[in-house]
Amino acid sequence: MSTRERRDRSNKFDRELSLLFQESLSKNQISSQSIALAAVGGFGRGELRPGSDIDITLIHDGKVKNLDQFVNDFLYPLWSTGTAVDHSVRTINELSEVAQSDVRVILGLLDLRHLVGNSELTGNAETLALRLWQKNIKKYLPQIKSSIIERTERSGELAFLLEPDLKEARGGLRDANILRALSKSNLIQVPFERVSEAEVRLLNVRDALHTVASKPRDQLLLTEQDKVAEKLGYLDADALALDVSKSARTIDYVMDSIWHKIEHKKSIFRKSKPSSIAKGVAIFENEVVLNIDEIYENSSVVGLRAAAIAAQRGLPLSPDAALWLAENFEELPKPWPREVREDLIAFIGAGKFMVRVFEALDQENLIAKWIPQWEHVRFLPQRNVLHRHTVDRHMLETAIESANLTRTVRRPDLLLFASLFHDIGKGFADLDHSSYGAELIENLAELVGFSISDIEILSLLVREHLTLSTAATRRDLDDPQTISFVVDKLKNPENLNLLHALSVADGKATGRTAWSEWKAKLVKDLVDRCLIAMSGQAPIEQPDLTLPDGYKGELRINLSARENGYELEILSKDQVGLLAVIAGVISINRLDLRNAKTKTIGDFAIGKWVVSPDVNSEVPTIERLSEQIIKGLSGELDIQNKIDNRISAYRKLPGILTPDPVVTALNDIATSA
């Protein structure tokens, strides 16, 4: 897929449309001086993709007889072959009227290209479109901004999505078109040379997608990414995703900076000058800039100072400032001076305002120059159903969430630093990312200048950043051994509180699939129990499962409501397959399993199962559960088949492969399991 192929495809349709146009003129005895055919939109730019619509406009002088018949004669051969045509038929005055009221029309006309007929009519339309665009640009801007916001809410950010919409998502092809249009407005200078390479790359991916999918669709599904990658010569789908992310982030960064300049553009009659706020740093037209003439120290020291100030004040860092820092880059002393480390923490702790400044620095590759460990995770995709972002953006989102929790811990600097780098060990084959990340952050923390004791805490936080969530959701919180397991790892309340905050931030940044009110409550319960244990109080012994007096082995089921669900107590004669049948019956009744305890006492078995029905199900009756368990044990009910049918009926996220289940016996961290 290439620019040349798109141009050749456009040229092919140019010839076909010109021939049909001439034939229709002749058939209806219409002068070619009365009407013209022009391509608009992507077709106007010569970017016709496989299977895309043909966007055209017929411009006439208002005196054409049999106009409707001419249009039908011209378009019918296209319709009959299944070619999708988006067309309009207007005079110059009609074009002017609709272009002034509909921003989509004016954007399409800015790419107008003459095909055949009276070229003067087409030329007048081009001149009109550019004049209206430049004259009414301030009226169009709110409509464009509103459309960008709406598309972002609907389609998300292209750079960070598993299955992005290459056209409509933020940073996609639609935004590239808007930047091209803004460059024609005379309102602001757009560095379109920076965007063009990224746009071409996205166009190539979209063309390959259309070929692979055999339909003009713009969402790059996971099921098709390997095929698209192969067609474009990438090593694998991850390499493709990395390139897509880079391209989208470039487009989005330019769009963000251009829009900021537009919204804060000063009148040419108002003189303004930079307002100095720190050594080498100033504010000018609502951007943080550098006072180049006042910089007499290490450029990177000034750079991190400027980043911290910009983020803390909610202002962007000037692209020119980021470019100057890259061109005049100087290594920081090792370890970093305390002032620089504190600027880094202030930068991270600015919350959502940090992202825009971080992106400005990252676009010039400054983050990886300051922090070499960042290079590996930069743009790194996560083909994981739980994650919605690339690795680097996920860590930024975690830092944003942590910024809201800094008042809950004694050492907010350690929380923020660990949040930004907690997944730094991802992307290395055959290495556990938590353990390897702990090694990497030790080196990084030493570079930045943390003390030996702080480095030990940071290493612990990264190594154990999944411990609380895993223990809370997969272990029995009533078992003293669970509490002892966590306490032995974390040692003291300060570490526990830091890890709790990191776990909350990580979960929220991952998404609602990974973090819920239920999970948050379990983690909080675990933390509270561990804090009690750390205070010197022994964990409360878990209640033992006991059989009622006189029990003879008959199947008994008790169902009782409890907070956020129900508890099933099941008693039965013990036999091979009992546990599997009960678990299967719970599954086919669409009950989510929250907790389970089972025990064999002699020839009998007792179990307590905490469950909650999904939103589309009701709690089954005791009679129904009893019947299904009895039939499941006898083989009369094929539970496996019902589970398979249920799985196939689920609407699964395309391309996400469900791994085979893994069962691990953890005999050392449970009292009786």
Side-chain angles (χ1 to χ4, degrees):
M1 303 297 114
S2 66
T3 301
R4 180 71 264 167
E5 288 177 280
R6 286 186 286 276
R7 175 64 69 183
D8 290 344
R9 196 177 295 115
S10 297
N11 290 342
K12 173 178 176 292
F13 272 96
D14 287 357
R15 292 189 293 271
E16 292 182 12
L17 292 172
S18 296
L19 181 60
L20 288 172
F21 182 87
Q22 296 287 9
E23 290 176 349
S24 299
L25 285 179
S26 177
K27 182 177 181 179
N28 290 275
Q29 298 182 342
I30 296 173
S31 169
S32 61
Q33 294 303 302
S34 299
I35 193 167
L37 174 65
V40 294
F43 185 26
R45 295 189 298 273
E47 295 175 355
L48 205 56
R49 59 194 188 275
S52 64
D53 292 356
I54 308 298
D55 293 333
I56 55 174
T57 185
L58 289 158
I59 308 166
H60 62 96
D61 60 9
K63 302 175 183 179
V64 178
K65 296 180 180 179
N66 302 324
L67 180 61
D68 290 343
Q69 185 59 48
F70 164 78
V71 173
N72 284 332
D73 289 340
F74 170 58
L75 294 177
Y76 183 77
L78 297 170
W79 292 334
S80 65
T81 59
T83 302
V85 182
D86 187 359
H87 75 285
S88 64
V89 184
R90 295 187 175 104
T91 64
I92 293 293
N93 288 338
E94 289 169 341
L95 270 178
S96 175
E97 184 178 343
V98 72
Q100 292 184 72
S101 61
D102 191 336
V103 69
R104 293 172 299 178
V105 172
I106 189 70
L107 287 173
L109 289 175
L110 289 173
D111 292 315
L112 185 141
R113 178 169 60 87
H114 177 73
L115 295 180
V116 64
N118 188 344
S119 59
E120 185 176 347
L121 286 172
T122 310
N124 290 341
E126 286 183 278
T127 302
L128 169 72
L130 188 59
R131 178 173 59 81
L132 290 177
W133 177 244
Q134 293 175 347
K135 177 184 176 182
N136 300 317
I137 184 62
K138 292 185 178 179
K139 182 183 76 172
Y140 292 129
L141 287 176
Q143 299 178 54
I144 295 173
K145 184 65 178 289
S146 178
S147 72
I148 292 172
I149 293 172
E150 189 275 330
R151 282 190 293 106
T152 301
E153 291 175 349
R154 184 181 71 247
S155 302
E157 297 176 80
L158 172 54
F160 310 114
L161 295 172
L162 280 170
E163 297 186 314
D165 187 315
L166 299 169
K167 182 178 181 181
E168 298 296 330
R170 180 168 171 166
L173 293 168
R174 182 78 73 185
D175 282 349
N177 292 340
I178 290 174
L179 285 170
R180 183 184 295 101
L182 290 174
S183 69
K184 299 177 181 179
S185 68
N186 286 340
L187 180 68
I188 196 164
Q189 186 174 358
V190 178
F192 204 79
E193 68 284 351
R194 187 166 188 166
V195 175
S196 58
E197 182 180 348
E199 182 187 26
V200 168
R201 191 178 293 120
L202 292 182
L203 285 168
N204 291 343
V205 173
R206 187 175 65 171
D207 283 2
L209 171 62
H210 287 185
T211 303
V212 166
S214 300
K215 60 179 69 173
R217 179 167 38 74
D218 296 323
Q219 187 176 15
L220 183 59
L221 299 178
L222 282 162
T223 48
E224 294 158 343
Q225 289 178 14
D226 286 308
K227 295 177 182 177
V228 171
E230 182 181 0
K231 191 163 191 65
L232 291 174
Y234 285 97
L235 180 64
D236 54 28
D238 284 350
L240 167 69
L242 188 144
D243 246 8
V244 169
S245 179
K246 282 183 180 179
S247 302
R249 282 167 75 161
T250 297
I251 294 171
D252 187 34
Y253 171 67
V254 172
M255 174 69 84
D256 190 58
S257 60
I258 288 298
W259 210 263
H260 177 83
K261 289 180 182 297
I262 289 173
E263 291 179 336
H264 297 91
K265 190 174 179 63
K266 301 287 186 182
S267 166
I268 59 173
F269 300 108
R270 289 179 60 191
K271 293 184 178 180
S272 60
K273 61 180 181 179
S275 174
S276 181
I277 53 174
K279 288 190 298 182
V281 182
I283 294 177
F284 179 64
E285 295 189 349
N286 283 285
E287 283 187 331
V288 170
V289 300
L290 299 179
N291 279 330
I292 307 299
D293 295 337
E294 298 179 9
I295 296 178
Y296 304 106
E297 56 189 322
N298 185 298
S299 64
S300 291
V301 171
V302 178
L304 279 162
R305 181 186 304 146
I309 290 171
Q312 287 289 334
R313 297 196 177 209
L315 295 173
L317 179 67
S318 162
D320 291 336
L323 181 61
W324 185 90
L325 289 169
E327 292 176 344
N328 296 273
F329 177 78
E330 293 179 84
E331 294 279 355
L332 284 163
K334 298 178 182 179
W336 292 8
R338 178 173 180 173
E339 173 200 354
V340 180
R341 184 176 74 252
E342 290 175 347
D343 281 337
L344 174 64
I345 297 302
F347 176 34
I348 301 171
K352 65 179 182 180
F353 297 111
M354 174 262 295
V355 174
R356 180 162 57 178
V357 181
F358 196 100
E359 189 65 30
L361 297 168
D362 203 32
Q363 282 291 319
E364 303 299 341
N365 204 29
L366 283 163
I367 301 296
K369 288 182 178 179
W370 288 330
I371 302 168
Q373 292 88 340
W374 191 260
E375 183 63 39
H376 180 75
V377 295
R378 192 171 180 238
F379 309 117
L380 185 65
Q382 301 191 89
R383 304 187 75 186
N384 181 312
V385 70
L386 293 180
H387 282 279
R388 52 184 173 168
H389 292 133
T390 53
V391 174
D392 53 346
R393 183 53 182 265
H394 167 69
M395 292 194 287
L396 287 178
E397 294 291 329
T398 303
I400 292 171
E401 296 292 345
S402 286
N404 298 322
L405 300 171
T406 52
R407 295 188 186 276
T408 68
V409 296
R410 288 181 57 193
R411 291 293 304 275
D413 56 333
L414 298 183
L415 171 62
L416 292 168
F417 194 79
S419 296
L420 185 58
F421 301 108
H422 72 282
D423 276 345
I424 199 72
K426 281 193 171 178
F428 296 92
D430 302 324
L431 290 176
D432 175 73
H433 84 278
S434 298
S435 298
Y436 189 53
E439 294 181 27
L440 292 177
I441 204 167
E442 287 179 3
N443 297 329
L444 176 54
E446 183 180 3
L447 169 70
V448 171
F450 281 103
S451 67
I452 293 175
S453 58
D454 286 348
I455 292 172
E456 290 176 354
I457 296 173
L458 289 167
S459 179
L460 173 70
L461 292 175
V462 172
R463 184 171 56 253
E464 306 297 340
H465 74 269
L466 299 175
T467 293
L468 292 181
S469 296
T470 301
T473 55
R474 300 182 186 179
R475 306 285 178 262
D476 182 2
L477 300 189
D478 289 328
D479 188 344
Q481 195 70 12
T482 300
I483 308 305
S484 298
F485 169 75
V486 176
V487 169
D488 289 345
K489 282 182 173 293
L490 300 179
K491 308 301 182 187
N492 59 61
E494 185 174 335
N495 292 345
L496 178 60
N497 286 330
L498 280 168
L499 189 61
H500 184 202
L502 176 57
S503 299
V504 172
D506 186 20
K508 288 184 175 180
T510 301
R512 286 176 293 181
T513 305
W515 193 255
S516 63
E517 184 179 343
W518 165 76
K519 189 170 184 179
K521 186 174 181 180
L522 284 178
V523 171
K524 177 66 165 56
D525 187 14
L526 173 61
V527 170
D528 289 343
R529 292 173 188 240
C530 290
L531 287 172
I532 291 173
M534 288 175 175
S535 71
Q537 293 181 244
I540 299 173
E541 291 293 330
Q542 61 179 326
D544 198 14
L545 296 176
T546 58
L547 295 171
D549 292 338
Y551 179 68
K552 302 296 184 182
E554 70 280 8
L555 179 63
R556 289 189 194 177
I557 298 180
N558 299 312
L559 180 65
S560 56
R562 55 177 287 172
E563 188 179 6
N564 296 324
Y566 296 84
E567 182 177 85
L568 273 172
E569 183 183 55
I570 302 176
L571 294 82
S572 172
K573 182 179 179 180
D574 193 21
Q575 56 185 295
V576 175
L578 176 63
L579 181 65
V581 167
I582 293 174
V585 168
I586 288 173
S587 176
I588 64 177
N589 282 282
R590 298 180 181 272
L591 298 173
D592 290 331
L593 182 61
R594 300 300 192 191
N595 196 1
K597 299 176 186 175
T598 66
K599 186 175 183 179
T600 300
I601 304 173
D603 294 330
F604 308 125
I606 180 172
K608 291 188 177 181
W609 311 72
V610 179
V611 298
S612 60
D614 70 19
V615 292
N616 299 313
S617 303
E618 296 180 353
V619 181
T621 63
I622 291 175
E623 292 74 20
R624 179 180 174 185
L625 292 170
S626 297
E627 179 184 4
Q628 290 177 332
I629 290 173
I630 291 170
K631 288 184 175 180
L633 289 169
S634 68
E636 186 178 349
L637 176 64
D638 189 345
I639 294 177
Q640 183 62 56
N641 183 58
K642 285 187 171 292
I643 291 175
D644 290 341
N645 290 339
R646 186 180 170 203
I647 289 173
S648 63
Y650 269 129
R651 181 187 178 275
K652 294 174 288 190
L653 187 65
I656 294 296
L657 300 177
T658 303
D660 293 333
V662 176
V663 178
T664 305
L666 300 165
N667 298 316
D668 58 334
I669 61 169
T671 300
S672 58

